[in-house]
Amino acid sequence: MHELHGPGSVLKRRTGWVGTLERRKDQVGRTGWVGTADSGTGRVGRPPGRMRRLATPIGILAAVAGAFAYVGSVDPNEPGHYPVCPLLKLTGVLCPGCGGLRSAHAFITGDLGAALEANAIATVGYFLFAAVWVLWLVRAWRGQPLRLGLAPVWWWGVGAVLLIFTVVRNLPFGSALAP
């Protein structure tokens, strides 16, 4: 069933998967990471440095902060600065993201009530993003991968909440959820 012929040999399993066997005892770290030679240093099996691990979460934060800074400085409540939602323009139906820019503007300027009025789901999303980002940063600092192992039922639940939010905000009794 298994054929092993030294480091880097081919591993065949009953599933038909063929790959190289790279897991050697001298290469495997505490987290199970298997490395290759660093660029030019000749060191094998060393995980990337802390600054390299932190680069992606910090880069994502910088991009999000830049976007929020732009939306905070250019008011979406004034016409002509941003395009109209295509779904709203073509059908007159509010999508789950409608009011998101106004929500972000209110959020960044410190008006949490206006942010919730413009788009409650987006405002909750800002806090959720912050929590996941902090978790990502802490795990990157420790050299651990960010793994959000959510069962499919959670993803279906998020989809159901977004669908219900969209339907309710487009009905007369749900006008409080409309921007």
Side-chain angles (χ1 to χ4, degrees):
M1 305 306 169
H2 293 269
E3 297 176 16
L4 302 174
H5 301 288
S9 65
V10 175
L11 173 67
K12 271 190 166 179
R13 296 181 183 180
R14 265 189 241 166
T15 61
W17 179 84
V18 177
T20 59
L21 180 65
E22 295 180 308
R23 192 173 181 98
R24 294 193 338 223
K25 193 170 190 170
D26 62 325
Q27 286 184 316
V28 179
R30 179 172 58 95
T31 61
W33 182 82
V34 178
T36 58
D38 284 346
S39 57
T41 62
R43 292 179 287 184
V44 176
R46 296 197 70 194
R50 182 169 284 157
M51 290 308 294
R52 189 170 176 194
R53 291 190 315 259
L54 295 175
T56 302
I58 290 173
I60 296 294
L61 180 65
V64 170
F68 267 82
Y70 180 78
V71 172
S73 64
V74 180
D75 191 358
N77 294 309
E78 297 175 13
H81 291 291
Y82 298 98
V84 177
C85 172
L87 183 66
L88 180 61
K89 186 175 184 177
L90 294 174
T91 65
V93 174
L94 296 168
C95 75
C98 282
L101 287 173
R102 287 177 287 228
S103 173
H105 179 76
F107 187 81
I108 200 72
T109 56
D111 191 357
L112 190 58
L116 285 167
E117 285 177 14
N119 191 322
I121 291 286
T123 306
V124 170
Y126 307 147
F127 289 107
L128 183 63
F129 170 80
V132 170
W133 183 84
V134 168
L135 175 67
W136 187 13
L137 187 67
V138 167
R139 292 187 65 82
W141 179 268
R142 294 178 179 169
Q144 300 168 338
L146 175 67
R147 292 195 180 132
L148 299 176
L150 296 177
V153 69
W154 286 100
W155 294 112
W156 282 103
V158 168
V161 166
L162 288 173
L163 180 64
I164 292 168
F165 176 73
T166 304
V167 170
V168 169
R169 76 188 314 206
N170 284 291
L171 295 174
F173 65 85
S175 62
L177 295 175

